[in-house]
Amino acid sequence: MGVKSKAAAAIVVLLLFLGSLWLQGGLDYHWDSCLKGYNQENKLHHLYNSSGVDGAEGPQVLEECPGQTFQVSLLLSHLLAAPAYTSDVLMQSYLSSWDELVKFMEALGPMVGLISKEIETKTSIIRQLAMMADKNPEAELGPDIHSLNSVSTEAGTENNLEASHHAGAYHSVRSMIWSEVNRGLVDFHHQTDSGCRTLLRLHRALLWLKLFLEKLSETPVAGRLRSPSELCREAYQSTLAKHHTWFVRRAAELAFIAMPERGFFFRLVCVQNQEDLSAVLNRVVRAIGEVYDRTQKALEDNGMLDLP
């Protein structure tokens, strides 16, 4: 076997290993084609800028991109639907957002697509826990769910009356945390497959993607636009890398080398240039930021930012 063949084999092994360790879980099923057929009917998603600033002609509308599996319009729709009450995140919309982000990663090619498979494993864990909780009445929350969405202020505690209705244990991020802690499912010293631990892994990955999209949306005043590969590697180094071993970090570097060029991202979200790409991605980044900040606060309030 020649030097090139050995190098290629080594890269494949590293990438497979990366896929299994990316979020510290198991890759339980084989990677399939990263470009799935798209057969949804053509429709418009009326999505509004989270900042509330629209053009003179009214709210902007994002159209679906014909022939694309990943739809930025759907991603933004799910992200905007996720925030609830004063400081909570609806779990169904959160997981739906991840479904679309997985398609985004799969579209970037098989090397990055391997990472998405591990994320799918994590979202499946939470969905399975939610299904089991629905079948178990003891896992349901009582009528005092409003206390889960209380906001502490200097003047005292302000409750969200909206949240006073009965809801399932996995209805939202805070309801899941409350339920799993009270049922003794969260271990602060040993690794478990609790929804809270799984959420923390997804939460860390969301910060990586947020930072990558934020960097991809930047338009330099002077100089060249940096390559997506460079931007993704930089985002990884300042986020997920701190939670990974040396070996996984080196394998991640190899995956990012194969990142598509910037023109690919224009086509992926149906825009013609960097200015239009920035406009779309800035809306997505703001929406991700709101979901991320709320999740961060919920985990921090319950001392869960370092679950093993």
Side-chain angles (χ1 to χ4, degrees):
M1 181 181 292
V3 175
K4 291 184 177 180
S5 298
K6 290 181 179 179
I11 288 174
V12 171
V13 171
L14 286 173
L15 290 173
L16 290 174
F17 188 68
L18 167 66
S20 65
L21 294 181
W22 185 259
L23 296 177
Q24 300 181 19
L27 190 59
D28 298 327
Y29 46 86
H30 297 292
W31 174 77
D32 56 8
S33 173
C34 67
L35 296 177
K36 299 177 181 177
Y38 178 69
N39 58 5
Q40 296 181 359
E41 59 180 314
N42 186 31
K43 55 186 176 180
L44 292 178
H45 296 278
H46 295 263
L47 305 172
Y48 299 86
N49 192 309
S50 60
S51 66
V53 178
D54 299 310
E57 298 181 356
Q60 296 178 347
V61 176
L62 291 182
E63 297 184 10
E64 287 194 356
C65 294
Q68 297 283 8
T69 302
F70 166 70
Q71 296 293 329
V72 68
S73 58
L74 280 175
L75 171 60
L76 190 53
S77 178
H78 294 314
L79 287 168
L80 293 177
Y85 316 126
T86 301
S87 60
D88 210 347
V89 175
L90 297 178
M91 192 59 70
Q92 181 174 340
S93 296
Y94 180 84
L95 295 177
S96 295
S97 298
W98 266 117
D99 290 342
E100 211 59 35
L101 285 170
V102 163
K103 295 175 186 177
F104 170 75
M105 287 186 287
E106 288 179 338
L108 302 184
M111 292 186 177
V112 179
L114 282 170
I115 301 170
S116 71
K117 293 303 176 184
E118 187 56 28
I119 289 177
E120 282 188 298
T121 299
K122 298 302 181 186
T123 57
S124 294
I125 288 175
I126 295 179
R127 284 185 166 119
Q128 289 169 4
L129 289 171
M131 290 178 61
M132 289 188 292
D134 287 342
K135 298 177 181 179
N136 180 14
E138 295 181 358
E140 294 296 309
L141 296 177
D144 62 343
I145 184 177
H146 64 280
S147 64
L148 303 179
N149 288 283
S150 297
V151 179
S152 298
T153 64
E154 294 181 359
T157 301
E158 178 183 354
N159 291 327
N160 275 285
L161 298 179
E162 289 182 274
S164 61
H165 64 278
H166 182 80
Y170 292 83
H171 171 71
S172 69
V173 167
R174 288 186 179 272
S175 68
M176 179 183 73
I177 292 175
W178 185 92
S179 176
E180 290 197 341
V181 168
N182 280 272
R183 287 186 288 149
L185 300 180
V186 181
D187 194 319
F188 289 84
H189 304 288
H190 301 92
Q191 179 176 325
T192 66
D193 283 332
S194 68
C196 293
R197 178 188 182 274
T198 303
L199 174 66
L200 177 60
R201 270 59 190 176
L202 291 173
H203 181 63
R204 291 169 176 172
L206 187 61
L207 179 59
W208 161 57
L209 287 174
K210 173 184 178 293
L211 187 55
F212 170 52
L213 295 176
E214 187 175 307
K215 291 177 177 295
L216 194 62
S217 70
E218 293 175 353
T219 302
V221 177
R224 67 175 181 86
L225 288 167
R226 293 192 292 166
S227 70
S229 175
E230 180 182 357
L231 298 175
C232 192
R233 181 173 61 252
E234 189 176 278
Y236 170 78
Q237 290 173 344
S238 60
T239 55
L240 279 175
K242 66 181 69 175
H243 304 292
H244 290 164
T245 64
W246 178 90
F247 191 80
V248 173
R249 292 197 299 270
R250 299 289 77 78
E253 297 286 337
L254 292 175
F256 300 146
I257 290 175
M259 184 76 62
E261 293 301 321
R262 190 172 292 266
F264 174 85
F265 292 90
F266 294 169
R267 298 188 294 274
L268 190 61
V269 298
C270 289
V271 298
Q272 301 298 319
N273 51 52
Q274 179 61 32
E275 182 180 359
D276 292 341
L277 179 67
S278 297
V280 172
L281 293 186
N282 282 335
R283 295 171 68 184
V284 173
V285 168
R286 282 193 293 269
I288 291 178
E290 178 66 20
V291 172
Y292 178 86
D293 290 345
R294 286 167 173 254
T295 307
Q296 174 80 5
K297 186 66 166 59
L299 292 170
E300 183 179 10
D301 287 347
N302 292 274
M304 294 183 175
L305 291 178
D306 296 302
L307 288 179

